[in-house]
């Protein structure tokens, strides 16, 4: 089957993670993505060396792209970029706000010159305003938005253990580009899109923000849920810990009867509703912990499963690497094939293959 974006031309003046995430998805769907690298290369190439001597970030997010090295401070570099843009359907860029215009590629003029062109600009804090010029990286935005304040244990804030801001921003940009392509199919016109990392995370933080503004500011509570109980890790008398999630009052009553063997707690006013259980979290968790302490891990998992209670193992990266549900894909790289988790979407009747990771090329003459 033909890939859905086959024939689409994308120019990506990009580096790091957020923009490459968006364009990697466009490439996966069949778009021809030309990645513009500065003479010293995308600095994400140097983030680590764990993927056969190459950066895990770069290998993951640049499969299926062509790479062109340009010095955009030179007339020749600008000429080559101008030629690429003239044939493009989509331009994605995450240069510092205003940089593209200063190089002679003002997005407003580009849209006038190429009315079908879709331009997606990714920034830290937006294209204008008092923080537009501030540098922004993943952990900086985690801190600035307050995400760190609700991540970790009671003692101190923590970083989310992956580049959540960059990935969320890339996914948001990808979605917006697809919307713009649908709109262009209807109107025949391109558009300009602006996506800021701060705005993306602020949107994702709506629930904790509304809780704060409603007088229930969330606390850091480790592997537990701030507004649902019981939802956390419990330790059997033997074996690994188990994380459970009770999502409704009906499930709570089932847990009390079938697992805890204390049906009276299901209708006890202290625990009968989720709001009550959260208000009495210590007593709620203590009652559940008491039941776990009487069972070994396999028995606890069996009883919970039979009762229809959601549960999970508390795995590490070794657990993921060996997980029976992990789907993998393999891509070619300049230093040999690398295997990593396959993209989540599975399309019926279509076994997707992903293109190779480009080597860094010499400066365009």
């Amino acid at each position: 089957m033909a890939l859905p974006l086959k024939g689409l031309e994308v120019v990506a003046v990009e580096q790091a993670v957020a923009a490459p995430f968006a364009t990697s998805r466009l490439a996966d769907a069949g778009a021809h993505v030309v990645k513009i690298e500065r003479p010293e290369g995308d600095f994400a190439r140097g983030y680590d060396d764990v993927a056969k001597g190459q950066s895990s970030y770069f290998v993951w997010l640049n499969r299926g792209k062509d790479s062109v090295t340009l010095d955009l401070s030179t007339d020749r570099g600008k000429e080559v970029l101008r030629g690429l843009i003239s044939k493009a359907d989509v331009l994605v860029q995450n240069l510092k706000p205003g940089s593209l215009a200063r190089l002679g590629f003002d997005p407003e003029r580009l849209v006038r010159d190429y009315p079908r062109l879709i331009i997606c600009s990714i920034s830290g804090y937006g294209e204008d305003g008092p923080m537009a010029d501030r540098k922004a990286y993943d952990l900086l935005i985690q801190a600035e938005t307050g995400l760190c304040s609700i991540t970790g244990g009671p003692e101190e804030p923590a970083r989310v253990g992956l580049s959540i801001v960059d990935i969320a921003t890339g996914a948001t940009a990808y979605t917006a580009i697809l919307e713009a392509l649908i709109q262009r199919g209807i109107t025949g016109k391109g558009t300009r899109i602006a996506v800021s990392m701060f705005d993306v995370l602020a949107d994702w933080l709506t629930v904790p923000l509304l809780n704060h503004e409603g007088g229930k500011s969330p606390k850091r509570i480790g592997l537990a849920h701030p507004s649902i109980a019981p939802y956390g890790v419990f330790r059997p008398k033997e074996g690994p810990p188990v994380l459970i999630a009770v999502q409704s009052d009906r499930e709570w009553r089932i847990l009390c009867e079938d697992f805890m063997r204390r049906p009276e707690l299901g209708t006890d006013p202290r625990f009968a509703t989720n709001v009550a259980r959260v208000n009495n979290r210590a007593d709620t968790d203590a009652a559940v912990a008491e039941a776990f302490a009487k069972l070994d891990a396999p028995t606890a998992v069996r009883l919970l499963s039979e009762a229809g209670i959601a549960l999970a193992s508390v795995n590490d990266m070794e657990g993921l690497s060996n997980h029976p549900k992990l789907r993998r894909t393999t891509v070619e790289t300049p230093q040999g094939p690398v295997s990593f988790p396959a993209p989540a979407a599975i399309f019926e009747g279509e076994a997707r293959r992903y293109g190779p990771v480009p080597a860094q090329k010499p400066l365009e003459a």
Side-chain angles (χ1 to χ4, degrees):
M1 293 178 64
L3 292 173
L5 298 184
K6 185 174 177 58
L8 194 77
E9 290 290 329
V10 178
V11 175
V13 186
E14 63 177 20
Q15 58 190 353
V17 178
F21 183 100
T23 56
S24 72
R25 270 44 189 180
L26 295 171
D28 289 349
H32 177 225
V33 177
V34 179
K35 179 184 180 73
I36 307 301
E37 296 195 60
R38 58 182 65 190
E40 59 270 32
D42 182 340
F43 55 69
R45 286 184 181 273
Y47 278 172
D48 59 51
D49 61 358
V50 299
K52 293 198 171 176
Q54 305 157 107
S55 164
S56 57
Y57 285 88
F58 194 87
V59 166
W60 176 39
L61 297 177
N62 292 283
R63 58 185 185 256
K65 302 178 187 178
D66 287 335
S67 175
V68 174
T69 302
L70 294 178
D71 184 348
L72 295 178
S73 67
T74 67
D75 290 341
R76 174 57 178 161
K78 293 174 184 176
E79 179 186 354
V80 173
L81 179 58
R82 190 169 291 110
L84 291 169
I85 291 175
S86 70
K87 302 172 185 175
D89 296 285
V90 179
L91 170 63
V92 179
Q93 65 96 13
N94 66 341
L95 300 178
K96 185 177 180 180
S99 295
L100 201 64
R102 287 191 291 272
L103 289 168
F105 300 93
D106 188 325
E108 287 188 16
R109 180 174 177 180
L110 289 176
V111 169
R112 289 199 304 269
D113 292 346
Y114 309 107
R116 287 178 57 82
L117 181 65
I118 294 164
I119 302 174
C120 181
S121 298
I122 296 173
S123 64
Y125 294 97
E127 298 291 298
D128 49 34
M131 298 182 72
D133 290 336
R134 181 183 287 194
K135 286 187 175 181
Y137 301 114
D138 188 276
L139 181 53
L140 301 178
I141 300 294
Q142 289 195 36
E144 190 75 33
T145 57
L147 175 60
C148 295
S149 75
I150 58 171
T151 305
E155 293 77 19
E156 60 181 350
R159 168 188 179 269
V160 175
L162 51 79
S163 299
I164 187 69
V165 180
D166 285 326
I167 294 168
T169 302
T172 300
Y174 176 53
T175 303
I177 291 167
L178 295 182
E179 287 184 22
L181 286 168
I182 293 170
Q183 181 185 51
R184 191 182 73 172
I186 298 169
T187 67
K189 296 180 179 180
T191 190
R192 291 175 57 195
I193 303 164
V195 179
S196 87
M197 299 161 71
F198 185 92
D199 286 350
V200 170
L201 254 290
D203 176 22
W204 283 31
L205 286 165
T206 294
V207 169
L209 177 64
L210 291 180
N211 272 267
H212 166 75
E213 292 175 349
K216 297 183 177 180
S217 194
K219 304 275 192 296
R220 291 187 302 276
I221 52 177
L223 277 177
H225 196 288
S227 54
I228 303 174
Y231 195 150
V233 177
F234 297 91
R235 295 188 175 277
K237 68 177 180 181
E238 294 178 6
V242 179
L243 193 153
I244 68 167
V246 171
Q247 294 287 302
S248 68
D249 299 336
R250 180 186 64 82
E251 286 187 357
W252 167 250
R253 293 190 293 272
I254 292 172
L255 183 75
C256 292
E257 183 164 349
D258 295 350
F259 179 76
M260 297 166 62
R261 309 301 188 197
R262 297 182 66 184
E264 72 281 2
L265 295 183
T267 54
D268 187 314
R270 295 173 299 163
F271 311 116
T273 67
N274 181 65
V275 172
R277 292 191 296 276
V278 170
N279 289 337
N280 295 286
R281 185 187 296 275
D283 290 340
T284 301
D285 288 353
V288 178
E290 182 181 348
F292 267 92
K294 298 174 182 177
L295 305 167
D296 58 34
T299 303
V301 168
R302 177 179 60 80
L303 290 174
L304 290 165
S305 298
E306 290 173 353
I309 301 299
L311 61 91
S313 302
V314 185
N315 276 325
D316 54 16
M317 287 302 99
E318 182 178 0
L320 175 59
S321 180
N322 297 311
H323 202 286
K325 285 296 296 179
L326 179 63
R327 295 169 42 249
R328 288 182 175 270
T329 191
T330 299
V331 299
E332 293 298 325
T333 80
Q335 299 192 39
V338 174
S339 169
F340 52 77
I346 300 173
F347 296 89
E348 184 178 1
E350 180 184 319
R352 287 198 174 178
R353 294 184 176 87
Y354 302 96
V357 176
Q360 186 173 350
K361 297 179 181 178
L363 183 65
E364 182 81 10

